[in-house]
Amino acid sequence: MQLKLIPDSLHLPFLKFRFISFIASGLLILLSAVMFFGPGLNKGIDFEGGIMIEIKLDEPPVLSDMRSSLGSLGLGQVSLQTFGASDDILIRVQRQEGGNEAQKIAVDAVKAQLAADYGDDISYRRIEFVGPTVSAELVQTAIEAVLVAVIAILIYIWLRFEWHYSVGAIAALVHDVILTIGMFTITGIEFNLASVAAILTIVGYSINDTVVVYDRIRENFRRYKKMEVKDLLDLSINETLSRTVITSLTTLLALVALFIFGGEVIRGFATAMIFGVIVGTYSSIFVAAPILLQIGLTHHNEEEDGFKPSTDDAIDSEQ
Amino acid sequence: MLSFPKWKAALVVIVCLLGIAYTIPNFVPKSALEGLPEWAPSKQITLGLDLQGGSHLLMQVDTDDVRAKVLDSLLDQVRNNFRNDGVRIGYRNLKVTGDKVTFSLRKPEERDAAYEALRSISSILSNGQQSHLIELNDDGSVGSIQPSEQAYTDRISAVVEQSIEIIGRRVNETGINEPTIQRQGADRILVQLPGVGNPQRIIDLIGQTAQMTFHLVDLTSADGNAPPGSKKLPSLNEEGRHYVIKNRVMVSGENLEDAQATFSQGQPVVSIRFDGLGGKQFARVTTDNVGKPFAIVLDGKVISAPRINEPILGGQAIITGGFNVQGAQDLALLLRAGALPAPLKILEQRSVGPDLGADSIAAGEIAGIIGLIAVAVFMIVTYGLFGLVANIALAANIFLIMALLSVLGATLTLPGIAGIILTIGMAVDANVLIFERIREESRNGKTPSNAIESGYKRAFTTIVDANVTTGIAATILFVMGSGPVKGFAVTLGIGIICSMFTAILLSRMIITFWALKTRPQTLKA
């Protein structure tokens, strides 16, 4: 006999806790909003413009010396951090006033200063600078990409299901995106292009999870014509719970491997994804399904919606 | 009835074998692939710049400069056409005003002739419009000619094309392998240089306009300030030194035929050779100005201003200017490749050293292998024999992803590796959905073969719905994302397609054949 993570007989009354989960989610969303509009995101150079240089030295340098040396160049805010190893330093210089060319001049100044301080022992692992033109465009494209993705998915769900499901799915989705952005503001993890990729993947994952639960709810509406909606939702969540948990676990296993072994550059991405998977799983169960009850999905709605595809007709008629 | 058609099985097996065949070249050294016959799979996955090291530069043509030049040359054209063979139209106040060239005519009766002269400047553009808008009032006292927006757009487009060609020549001369130089949008150029970790020299070479001109030095300027018709320019190599030179270009770098770095009296110098016209101009200037200094100007800085000792008639000359060897070589290279038609601004630069790239690949491999093992063990613990089937599907899935990446020539980036690892976790989802369904059907009293059959059938729509939504996210990332993010979208998208194939067809085939062969009485799943 194999391991069963979720016993067959398990029947948790999820809907009973819906007000608790709604309040919890609401508070987390509020916290995310406060953090977002307060301290804000730690935007990387992709979105803020500026310079990022990663160097590796033969020996770990004294960071305070390096900081004061580079700080004396008059380039504004210069931040240093070790990146994975103590001899691996990430230097970030704020965006320079004076347009695109000013960035390049600043890069040259930093390199000249480093060469003066540390000689030829520096290996430049990465040099990136993004001018104000490009960073402004990247911000716009990122926002557009997330909006277009959400709308496209909304349309798909609306075509495949009844409108109540669309509302529920989008509520869960927006919930996940807001909380993930909140996570970025609270942890101070750099928000860059890879973070947008992470958010869009979370969008895909969250919807994926939600759709599996919704598919079952729809199926059960057809099977149990007399069951109370609340019980029916509970039943559907419980029936799909095993799958929801197992898929989240396998995805998390892969992501944790990525987080631990995938290297420093990818760690922020892995962190966001791990958080997103957990939140996405939570929201499918505690937000997406209960909200259907809240907005008044009934048997009547389902019957009116006769043309939508069904999952089980073919099989049942065979038996 | 539980069944799996033979032809379908054959197809699945063939696809999987092809997947393995097209993955193998990635594990073989490149040299070994060259001896293979034409039909054999030999393509390797292209690594992104962030994995193999290299530089990515996004540059923009200085459109203000292009527009200014368009107006300057329009001014010359107007002047020429008013004083053309036979035509003599009196004008005054000819100048650039805003985005127009304005003037007024001396005699109202020359209005029609002037209009004709301007008309001959205007041509019909690609979109069927006139290239210039001409306005001339009845008595000719107020007149203007203005290039249309389309004329600017066409000109900028031509400048971009020309710049790409010149950048290509410069990059090729430096011996970099497989550079990518392409146009992006209306006025941008994307340059990707694989394997260049510290690209400062190359970037300097690419970004330099390299407009060379020869001017006479203005000797009338006593106090070092420039009188009208002259300008004060800094020295290229001597800090703090300035020259006052006459504005008029005596010879231009466009008339160069060749340039080479060489030595003269132990100093690195650049020897240049003019073409026919340039040679003649150079001969005339040097003949007329013996004993005077002659300034060589590069992008607004004076390289040097040597004295003309004697007329130089052979069309050959030497440029001195305190170069080091590298400096002389680079200047020669720039002069050979030609000047950029307009200055370029660097908007974005991303360079990754080759060792960081190698570290990223190694880390990605370890993370992938460990993730894979963890997921595989989990699946066997959870589903036993069925878990094994899911793992076979997962392995096939990874081969198919790598094969598709190789065949499509898609670029694998660091986020792309993350995408593959994420896919490992998510790929088993389809199988999980199916197995959970089979368990359920089995619990509800169905026979094993019925449970398997309906498990696959019922899970199918759910799998499609769930994957289409992730697919939408991947497509949007691909369309709207750039660089590394695009790489992530590609692997995520390919991963979705492959995981659906392996779950719906491959795992179903294996389980169906297993069930038909062993005829299990109960399902342990």
Side-chain angles (χ1 to χ4, degrees), chain B residues 42-57:
Chain B
S42 62
K43 276 192 180 166
Q44 291 185 331
I45 294 175
T46 317
L47 294 180
L49 292 182
D50 56 345
L51 293 181
Q52 62 168 316
S55 288
H56 158 114
L57 289 170

Side-chain angles (χ1 to χ4, degrees), chain A residues 65-131:
Chain A
D65 290 354
M66 191 187 267
R67 191 170 288 128
S68 62
S69 171
L70 294 176
S72 67
L73 291 172
L75 299 173
Q77 197 190 335
V78 177
S79 70
L80 301 180
Q81 67 181 92
T82 56
F83 201 62
S86 61
D87 56 355
D88 200 335
I89 314 293
L90 192 68
I91 303 166
R92 267 182 63 182
V93 183
Q94 73 171 64
R95 191 178 79 205
Q96 301 295 303
E97 294 299 324
N100 298 304
E101 296 92 72
Q103 317 302 319
K104 188 179 162 323
I105 295 167
V107 170
D108 291 344
V110 170
K111 285 175 76 174
Q113 187 63 42
L114 288 172
D117 292 349
Y118 299 96
D120 296 330
D121 298 336
I122 308 166
S123 112
Y124 287 93
R125 286 163 74 82
R126 247 190 311 170
I127 301 174
E128 300 189 358
F129 71 77
V130 178

Side-chain angles (χ1 to χ4, degrees), chain B residues 214-226:
Chain B
F214 295 81
H215 302 255
L216 287 170
V217 175
D218 191 337
L219 299 168
T220 62
S221 151
D223 56 353
N225 285 326

Side-chain angles (χ1 to χ4, degrees), chain A residues 241-253:
Chain A
L241 192 60
S242 179
R243 174 268 162 194
T244 306
V245 170
I246 288 173
T247 296
S248 298
L249 279 178
T250 56
T251 309
L252 284 174
L253 282 176

Side-chain angles (χ1 to χ4, degrees), chain A:
Chain A
M1 194 62 203
Q2 285 84 41
L3 176 80
K4 279 247 166 80
L5 289 166
I6 308 292
D8 298 337
S9 56
L10 191 73
H11 196 95
L12 297 170
F14 290 105
L15 272 277
K16 219 175 178 175
F17 303 120
R18 66 182 185 279
F19 294 110
I20 297 174
S21 59
F22 285 162
I23 290 167
S25 291
L27 286 177
L28 286 173
I29 287 172
L30 196 67
L31 177 66
S32 301
V34 167
M35 289 300 287
F36 180 78
F37 292 107
L41 288 165
N42 169 20
K43 282 188 254 170
I45 63 167
D46 294 336
F47 298 130
E48 191 84 325
I51 299 162
M52 187 166 75
I53 300 175
E54 188 188 339
I55 56 170
K56 204 176 173 73
L57 297 164
D58 284 353
E59 293 173 11
V62 181
L63 280 186
S64 56
D65 290 354
M66 191 187 267
R67 191 170 288 128
S68 62
S69 171
L70 294 176
S72 67
L73 291 172
L75 299 173
Q77 197 190 335
V78 177
S79 70
L80 301 180
Q81 67 181 92
T82 56
F83 201 62
S86 61
D87 56 355
D88 200 335
I89 314 293
L90 192 68
I91 303 166
R92 267 182 63 182
V93 183
Q94 73 171 64
R95 191 178 79 205
Q96 301 295 303
E97 294 299 324
N100 298 304
E101 296 92 72
Q103 317 302 319
K104 188 179 162 323
I105 295 167
V107 170
D108 291 344
V110 170
K111 285 175 76 174
Q113 187 63 42
L114 288 172
D117 292 349
Y118 299 96
D120 296 330
D121 298 336
I122 308 166
S123 112
Y124 287 93
R125 286 163 74 82
R126 247 190 311 170
I127 301 174
E128 300 189 358
F129 71 77
V130 178
T133 321
V134 172
S135 59
E137 285 170 8
L138 288 175
V139 170
Q140 198 188 345
T141 318
I143 293 171
E144 278 171 14
V146 174
L147 285 181
V148 172
V150 170
I151 292 169
I153 290 170
L154 177 95
I155 292 172
Y156 181 78
I157 303 279
W158 181 63
L159 288 175
R160 296 280 297 166
F161 294 85
E162 221 260 333
W163 71 264
H164 293 85
Y165 294 92
S166 249
V167 174
I170 290 304
L173 195 60
V174 171
H175 170 268
D176 297 349
V177 171
I178 291 177
L179 289 198
T180 307
I181 291 174
M183 189 275 297
F184 272 103
T185 59
I186 290 167
T187 57
I189 294 174
E190 184 182 297
F191 193 82
N192 52 29
L193 280 179
S195 316
V196 175
I199 286 187
L200 275 168
T201 316
I202 291 167
V203 165
Y205 185 89
S206 159
I207 281 289
N208 180 315
D209 237 24
T210 305
V211 163
V212 171
V213 178
Y214 279 6
D215 255 359
R216 182 58 66 105
I217 293 173
R218 181 170 59 183
E219 193 184 324
N220 283 340
F221 262 115
R222 288 179 186 150
R223 184 175 297 168
Y224 308 105
K225 305 258 185 221
K226 299 277 179 276
M227 192 186 283
E228 261 204 59
V229 176
K230 184 167 163 264
D231 296 336
L232 193 143
L233 295 180
D234 258 340
L235 175 72
S236 307
I237 297 171
N238 275 288
E239 281 178 347
T240 49
L241 192 60
S242 179
R243 174 268 162 194
T244 306
V245 170
I246 288 173
T247 296
S248 298
L249 279 178
T250 56
T251 309
L252 284 174
L253 282 176
L255 286 171
V256 168
L258 195 62
F259 177 85
I260 298 174
F261 304 103
E264 203 61 36
V265 183
I266 212 73
R267 193 152 293 153
F269 175 84
T271 313
M273 281 300 306
I274 289 172
F275 181 83
V277 167
I278 294 169
V279 170
T281 307
Y282 161 84
S283 72
S284 316
I285 297 172
F286 291 99
V287 178
I291 226 170
L292 293 179
L293 181 68
Q294 250 17 74
I295 57 177
L297 181 69
T298 62
H299 285 277
H300 182 65
N301 297 126
E302 277 296 332
E303 275 153 26
E304 272 183 354
D305 199 34
F307 67 93
K308 302 281 177 179
S310 156
T311 51
D312 48 270
D313 300 347
I315 301 282
D316 283 349
S317 58
E318 266 175 38
Q319 314 242 316

Side-chain angles (χ1 to χ4, degrees), chain B residues 169-186:
Chain B
R169 269 187 251 152
R170 290 180 184 177
V171 172
N172 283 338
E173 291 231 21
T174 61
I176 291 166
N177 285 324
E178 299 176 41
T180 310
I181 303 161
Q182 62 193 33
R183 181 188 192 134
Q184 208 165 61

